[in-house]
């Protein structure tokens, strides 16, 4: 059995609480928050955040107060040191990613390079 890798993505307490709340609403305790980087968007790369029950070969996992965050092997270098937060204000609502590896992003904030 191979050892499971960890990653350097962090999840704030506010984001972890929101993930727990969403999972409770779904009535599921078998899901993890998967964070990935995919080609696309006007700046070249896009973030993907979604719930996933699968663990794939090469996935890296970290646990934040009971919330497992999974990053695939190809996305780990792009997300090294990134912080996932949750904002709930008039200006912005939803998950945000502060990524020190992003050299630039598009105006909408949905993609980066």
């Amino acid at each position: 059995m191979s050892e499971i890798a960890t990653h350097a993505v962090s999840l704030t307490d506010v984001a972890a609480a929101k993930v727990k709340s969403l999972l409770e609403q779904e009535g599921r305790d078998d899901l993890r928050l998967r964070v990935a980087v995919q080609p696309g968007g006007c700046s070249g790369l896009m973030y993907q955040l979604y719930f996933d029950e699968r663990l794939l070969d090469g996935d890296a996992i970290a646990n934040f107060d009971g919330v497992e965050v999974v990053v695939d092997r190809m996305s780990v270098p792009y997300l090294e040191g990134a912080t996932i937060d949750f904002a709930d204000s008039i200006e912005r609502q939803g998950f945000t990613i502060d990524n020190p590896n992003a050299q630039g992003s598009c105006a909408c904030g949905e993609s980066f390079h």
Side-chain angles (χ1 to χ4, degrees):
M1 183 158 180
S2 64
E3 187 174 315
I4 297 175
T6 60
H7 57 74
V9 174
S10 63
L11 189 67
T12 67
D13 292 343
V14 172
K18 184 62 177 180
V19 170
K20 282 183 180 181
S21 170
L22 292 170
L23 289 174
E24 286 172 9
Q25 288 175 16
E26 291 292 320
R28 305 274 304 261
D29 62 0
D30 61 332
L31 298 175
R32 299 165 183 88
L33 180 64
R34 182 173 290 277
V35 184
V37 172
Q38 298 291 325
C42 45
S43 288
L45 297 170
M46 291 179 50
Y47 298 113
Q48 290 188 329
L49 270 76
Y50 58 96
F51 292 122
D52 197 351
E53 60 190 16
R54 303 167 301 147
L55 272 181
L56 306 174
D57 188 40
D59 279 347
I61 303 173
N63 191 307
F64 300 91
D65 195 27
V67 174
E68 286 187 328
V69 177
V70 179
V71 179
D72 66 88
R73 176 186 342 192
M74 299 301 288
S75 298
V76 167
Y78 294 104
L79 295 169
E80 187 79 14
T83 301
I84 301 170
D85 197 4
F86 184 80
D88 190 4
S89 67
I90 292 173
E91 297 86 28
R92 183 155 178 90
Q93 182 177 22
F95 289 97
T96 61
I97 299 177
D98 180 16
N99 187 351
N101 302 302
Q103 296 175 354
S105 63
C106 63
C108 65
E110 297 295 320
S111 65
F112 71 100
H113 65 269

